[in-house]
Amino acid sequence: MTNTKSAWDSLWVNVHIATMADDKGYGEIPDGAMGVRDGVIVWLGARAGLPADQPVTVTHDGGGKWLTPGLIDCHTHIVYGGNRSNEFEDRLNGVSYEEISKRGGGIVSTVKATRAASEDELFEQSSVRLARLLEEGVTTVECKSGYGLDLPTEAKILRVARRLGEQFPVRIRTTFLGAHAVPPEYAGRADDYIELVCQQLMPALAGQGLIDAVDGFCEKIGFSAAQTERVFQAAQKLNLPVKLHAEQLSDQGGAALTARYQGLSADHLEYLSDDGIAAMAGAGTVAVLLPGAFYFLRETRLPPLAALRNASVPVAIATDCNPGTSPMTSLLLAMNMACTLFKMTPLEALLGTTRHAAKALGLAQQTGQIKVGMRADFALWCVDRPADLSYAIGANPCYAVVFGGKIRTVR
Ligand code: DI6
Ligand code: FE
């Protein structure tokens, strides 16, 4: 009898699968098998249960390695010009923050460098950072704008982000962070700048298809809750989902505001209140914790992890890769720091860079889990158990990455 079933493009066998689709554990399938067709997972189970008559184009032997969803870095500012190691060095030599900012340092110096960089230069500089992330099994990266603060430069940053997604085998989600800081030409006129963000920058960039989500920096040194709400209202008019840098240095009620706009995520959250947690739980807003910034700023106030757990708020982990407060391009290191600094468990850390990170980007139906119907985005690891991914410091046990069914790197 001829087989009429359509062939799978690939079959993966001899792998231990951590599906991350289970609420209580890693969703382990020991000695598992997975069938992929058209970049999508079409079969999943124990190898012993494979249908005998299934035609397959290529079979891959995973050599007994662990297979997890491709990792997701759901909060980065990876596209920027220059860097700030000079300020880092000055500070450690005793120069005060005040003096550094008087010299034109801080976020404004990155804005200057990003405005001055050509689009190709920006692409080259960002590519180096992206390549580091990808080596560690990352298949989805969020890229924020916010170092341009004018129309040409915000557009340039977002185009570079889109181009990264075209030229590297990775899914890029772009986030418009116009409300990151007040640009020098608007000094003392924050409300006028917010008007520009809402009336001109956001509609123009959305019209060019450059925005997947909208973010802001709600902080004493950033924008007030009222200013942030104007940004959210403008996003809502354009049907764009929102997220927020909230409660990083003080409690501004940013998380609750984000929840009121059904935000995808509220990020940082060291100063998050019980009200904020309740609002996030009610709206399904993900808590994105950023241990790299916590470490680099020598922050001592911990995000309220126990209360987030009690309220069943999904927690994600990201690098926050940026030149000022988290010059970090290792998501595995962020997972390790989430465990050592925040006392998250290795299971929570891996959920935080897979399933929960996908939710923080509005991608929960596409990626972040090994599940029939999801994109075939996964990584193979030379580890004894999934906890090794959070345990080791500076090791990179990534053996191979598959993005949309295609093998990306093997070493
Ligand atoms: N929060 C931060 O800590 C960074 N941005 C933000 O929204 C600071 C970014 C920088 O200093 O360049
Ligand atoms: Fe950030």
Side-chain angles (χ1 to χ4, degrees), residues 57 64 135 139 153 235 251 303 326 335 373 382:
T57 306
E135 281 167 17
T139 51
T153 318
D251 181 10
S326 190
M335 289 165 64
C382 300

PDB file of all heavy atoms in Angstrom, residues 57 64 135 139 153 235 251 303 326 335 373 382:
ATOM      1  N   THR A  57      11.438  13.491   5.350  1.00  0.00           N
ATOM      2  CA  THR A  57      12.492  13.857   4.403  1.00  0.00           C
ATOM      3  C   THR A  57      13.881  13.698   5.024  1.00  0.00           C
ATOM      4  O   THR A  57      14.755  13.091   4.429  1.00  0.00           O
ATOM      5  CB  THR A  57      12.277  15.309   3.904  1.00  0.00           C
ATOM      6  OG1 THR A  57      10.940  15.396   3.383  1.00  0.00           O
ATOM      7  CG2 THR A  57      13.259  15.678   2.802  1.00  0.00           C
ATOM      8  N   GLY A  64      21.161  12.410  22.251  1.00  0.00           N
ATOM      9  CA  GLY A  64      20.832  12.411  23.677  1.00  0.00           C
ATOM     10  C   GLY A  64      20.883  13.789  24.328  1.00  0.00           C
ATOM     11  O   GLY A  64      20.856  13.911  25.550  1.00  0.00           O
ATOM     12  N   GLU A 135      24.289  33.198  19.641  1.00  0.00           N
ATOM     13  CA  GLU A 135      25.149  32.049  19.971  1.00  0.00           C
ATOM     14  C   GLU A 135      24.592  31.236  21.125  1.00  0.00           C
ATOM     15  O   GLU A 135      24.929  30.071  21.282  1.00  0.00           O
ATOM     16  CB  GLU A 135      26.539  32.548  20.420  1.00  0.00           C
ATOM     17  CG  GLU A 135      27.454  32.954  19.310  1.00  0.00           C
ATOM     18  CD  GLU A 135      28.670  33.715  19.851  1.00  0.00           C
ATOM     19  OE1 GLU A 135      28.959  33.641  21.064  1.00  0.00           O
ATOM     20  OE2 GLU A 135      29.321  34.396  19.045  1.00  0.00           O
ATOM     21  N   THR A 139      16.244  32.855  19.708  1.00  0.00           N
ATOM     22  CA  THR A 139      15.570  32.868  18.401  1.00  0.00           C
ATOM     23  C   THR A 139      14.601  34.047  18.245  1.00  0.00           C
ATOM     24  O   THR A 139      14.062  34.251  17.160  1.00  0.00           O
ATOM     25  CB  THR A 139      14.802  31.540  18.158  1.00  0.00           C
ATOM     26  OG1 THR A 139      13.972  31.270  19.278  1.00  0.00           O
ATOM     27  CG2 THR A 139      15.772  30.380  17.941  1.00  0.00           C
ATOM     28  N   THR A 153      16.000  59.805  13.477  1.00  0.00           N
ATOM     29  CA  THR A 153      16.838  58.832  14.189  1.00  0.00           C
ATOM     30  C   THR A 153      16.015  57.677  14.756  1.00  0.00           C
ATOM     31  O   THR A 153      16.451  56.520  14.729  1.00  0.00           O
ATOM     32  CB  THR A 153      17.669  59.519  15.295  1.00  0.00           C
ATOM     33  OG1 THR A 153      18.185  60.749  14.794  1.00  0.00           O
ATOM     34  CG2 THR A 153      18.812  58.639  15.734  1.00  0.00           C
ATOM     35  N   ALA A 235      -1.086  55.261  21.543  1.00  0.00           N
ATOM     36  CA  ALA A 235      -0.839  53.885  21.064  1.00  0.00           C
ATOM     37  C   ALA A 235      -2.164  53.163  20.843  1.00  0.00           C
ATOM     38  O   ALA A 235      -2.357  52.475  19.828  1.00  0.00           O
ATOM     39  CB  ALA A 235       0.017  53.125  22.080  1.00  0.00           C
ATOM     40  N   ASP A 251       8.217  54.140  43.048  1.00  0.00           N
ATOM     41  CA  ASP A 251       6.866  53.671  42.701  1.00  0.00           C
ATOM     42  C   ASP A 251       6.052  54.827  42.143  1.00  0.00           C
ATOM     43  O   ASP A 251       5.643  55.718  42.877  1.00  0.00           O
ATOM     44  CB  ASP A 251       6.190  53.083  43.943  1.00  0.00           C
ATOM     45  CG  ASP A 251       4.791  52.555  43.620  1.00  0.00           C
ATOM     46  OD1 ASP A 251       4.435  52.479  42.420  1.00  0.00           O
ATOM     47  OD2 ASP A 251       4.056  52.224  44.572  1.00  0.00           O
ATOM     48  N   PRO A 303      13.003  43.032  43.475  1.00  0.00           N
ATOM     49  CA  PRO A 303      11.617  42.994  42.991  1.00  0.00           C
ATOM     50  C   PRO A 303      10.821  42.000  43.850  1.00  0.00           C
ATOM     51  O   PRO A 303      11.384  41.031  44.353  1.00  0.00           O
ATOM     52  CB  PRO A 303      11.758  42.496  41.547  1.00  0.00           C
ATOM     53  CG  PRO A 303      13.103  41.877  41.443  1.00  0.00           C
ATOM     54  CD  PRO A 303      13.968  42.524  42.484  1.00  0.00           C
ATOM     55  N   SER A 326      22.978  48.386  31.543  1.00  0.00           N
ATOM     56  CA  SER A 326      23.066  46.921  31.428  1.00  0.00           C
ATOM     57  C   SER A 326      23.784  46.534  30.139  1.00  0.00           C
ATOM     58  O   SER A 326      23.169  46.015  29.208  1.00  0.00           O
ATOM     59  CB  SER A 326      21.654  46.307  31.480  1.00  0.00           C
ATOM     60  OG  SER A 326      21.725  44.909  31.595  1.00  0.00           O
ATOM     61  N   MET A 335      19.803  34.716  33.201  1.00  0.00           N
ATOM     62  CA  MET A 335      19.084  33.639  33.914  1.00  0.00           C
ATOM     63  C   MET A 335      19.826  33.270  35.197  1.00  0.00           C
ATOM     64  O   MET A 335      19.218  33.085  36.249  1.00  0.00           O
ATOM     65  CB  MET A 335      18.934  32.416  33.000  1.00  0.00           C
ATOM     66  CG  MET A 335      17.954  32.643  31.865  1.00  0.00           C
ATOM     67  SD  MET A 335      18.107  31.395  30.553  1.00  0.00           S
ATOM     68  CE  MET A 335      17.643  29.904  31.423  1.00  0.00           C
ATOM     69  N   GLY A 373       1.764  22.860  16.573  1.00  0.00           N
ATOM     70  CA  GLY A 373       1.147  24.098  16.087  1.00  0.00           C
ATOM     71  C   GLY A 373       2.043  25.312  16.249  1.00  0.00           C
ATOM     72  O   GLY A 373       1.819  26.343  15.623  1.00  0.00           O
ATOM     73  N   CYS A 382      24.171  20.804  25.273  1.00  0.00           N
ATOM     74  CA  CYS A 382      25.007  19.754  25.864  1.00  0.00           C
ATOM     75  C   CYS A 382      24.947  19.925  27.374  1.00  0.00           C
ATOM     76  O   CYS A 382      25.874  20.483  27.977  1.00  0.00           O
ATOM     77  CB  CYS A 382      26.449  19.877  25.393  1.00  0.00           C
ATOM     78  SG  CYS A 382      26.617  19.742  23.619  1.00  0.00           S
TER      79      CYS A 382
END
